[in-house]
Amino acid sequence: LEFRRVLFPISIMAHKPNYFLLAYNEKGWNPEPYREQFDDPDYENDDVETQFQISLKVPFAIGLFNDRMDIYGAYTNRSFWQAFNEEESLPFRETNHEPELWFQFDNKWKVFGFTNRLNSFGFVHQSNGRNEPISRSWNRLFANFIFERNNIALSIKPWIIVGDKIGNEDIQDYMGNVELRGAYKWRQHTFSLLLRNNIQSGFSKGTFQTDWSFPLWGRIRGYMQYFNGYGESMIDYNVHTNTLGMGFQFTDYF
């Protein structure tokens, strides 16, 4: 989802939500890739870790074609830190890097009472920046169609995988080819939902994520996130996780 439009090309602004979470995974995070990487059969991950996301974008050109088209670039860093795992020296279990570039077009088409507010087309790379055997990477060409009605917003984001899929050749089986998001704003609370690859996989390898952000003080908001499925991170693209997180959010969808 994306609702912010800027007027000056030198601006740096939030892209995806920025947040910090304390997260618990009842299944535990899979230690096998790290046992192989470090040749340590006793390596273990804690069930509790901290997670944070930093996501920023910059407009490269705005107001093209009669103020209809803008060009943006963005970078998102999502990190998974074993902050309490003293036995393994508090490692960053996984860090995902996601640069992207896209063209976006304002729109005002009406569909079933919703306004097709914005359409985007672009390229995104995502990787964990690691060496074999735990290197993970993929590239996609994507479109993103955003619809809004009053305090509801919906996003349909299909993609095509291009190039090599390093260390995750079967990632399409788990991540699919389309992502659906919805967000609802009630007073100062925001509720959002993510669905991915559920129908495509026959509900065997899908993703379900729900979020709730609420006011605390100033611009800092409380944040709760529940994730169930595959692809929480690149290293876990083919591992089912069931995670509940609580923390703080610094920027929201709205």
Side-chain angles (χ1 to χ4, degrees):
L1 294 171
E2 179 52 55
F3 306 100
R4 308 175 186 90
R5 185 165 189 251
V6 295
L7 299 178
F8 303 102
I10 59 173
S11 300
I12 298 176
M13 59 194 306
H15 180 38
K16 300 178 180 179
N18 291 270
Y19 59 80
F20 180 91
L21 285 176
L22 182 66
Y24 166 71
N25 179 12
E26 69 165 2
K27 293 177 175 289
W29 282 280
N30 180 27
E32 291 301 328
Y34 309 99
R35 291 174 178 173
E36 183 180 359
Q37 170 78 1
F38 303 122
D39 193 23
D40 180 2
D42 297 323
Y43 183 97
E44 291 290 347
N45 287 313
D46 281 356
D47 294 347
V48 177
E49 67 181 12
T50 63
Q51 301 179 7
F52 59 87
Q53 179 166 283
I54 301 171
S55 184
L56 302 171
K57 70 177 182 180
V58 177
F60 294 138
I62 60 173
L64 304 176
F65 300 104
N66 294 322
D67 206 29
R68 291 286 306 279
M69 188 183 86
D70 306 322
I71 303 174
Y72 280 88
Y75 172 74
T76 299
N77 176 304
R78 190 176 183 196
S79 293
F80 303 79
W81 180 24
Q82 291 271 297
F84 310 104
N85 192 349
E86 295 184 3
E87 184 176 347
E88 303 296 345
S89 301
L90 316 183
F92 273 79
R93 182 177 62 84
E94 175 79 339
T95 297
N96 292 162
H97 308 276
E98 189 174 3
E100 53 189 310
L101 177 69
W102 72 92
F103 302 83
Q104 67 180 40
F105 301 85
D106 288 341
N107 202 9
K108 295 181 180 180
W109 292 346
K110 300 290 185 179
V111 181
F112 300 115
F114 284 81
T115 301
N116 177 207
R117 178 72 175 81
L118 200 67
N119 296 321
S120 303
F121 305 89
F123 171 83
V124 58
H125 166 81
Q126 190 178 32
S127 67
N128 63 358
R130 307 292 284 270
N131 295 325
E132 295 290 353
I134 60 173
S135 175
R136 305 286 185 268
S137 177
W138 66 331
N139 302 303
R140 291 169 288 165
L141 297 174
F142 70 88
N144 195 13
F145 307 100
I146 296 173
F147 303 83
E148 62 179 23
R149 178 179 180 180
N150 299 325
N151 54 349
I152 300 174
L154 303 174
S155 168
I156 303 172
K157 185 178 183 180
W159 58 71
I160 299 172
I161 301 174
V162 295
D164 295 332
K165 294 169 280 187
I166 301 174
N168 41 257
E169 287 73 14
D170 60 345
I171 192 170
Q172 184 172 327
D173 295 339
Y174 296 89
M175 302 292 279
N177 291 95
V178 64
E179 182 177 276
L180 306 176
R181 285 186 182 268
Y184 172 71
K185 189 172 183 66
W186 177 72
R187 296 181 180 177
Q188 297 185 61
H189 299 252
T190 301
F191 304 90
S192 63
L193 174 68
L194 163 67
L195 299 174
R196 184 174 59 222
N197 199 38
N198 291 284
I199 296 176
Q200 288 174 277
S201 68
F203 296 92
S204 64
K205 298 175 183 177
T207 295
F208 171 90
Q209 178 181 314
T210 183
D211 307 78
W212 170 36
S213 69
F214 49 91
L216 286 180
W217 60 85
R219 295 188 177 183
I220 298 177
R221 300 172 59 81
Y223 183 46
M224 294 189 67
Q225 180 188 97
Y226 174 68
F227 182 96
N228 188 302
Y230 294 85
E232 185 182 33
S233 69
M234 289 294 294
I235 199 68
D236 297 322
Y237 81 94
N238 60 351
V239 178
H240 186 274
T241 56
N242 188 34
T243 308
L244 178 64
M246 295 180 290
F248 303 99
Q249 188 186 72
F250 308 101
T251 61
D252 204 347
Y253 286 116
F254 292 95

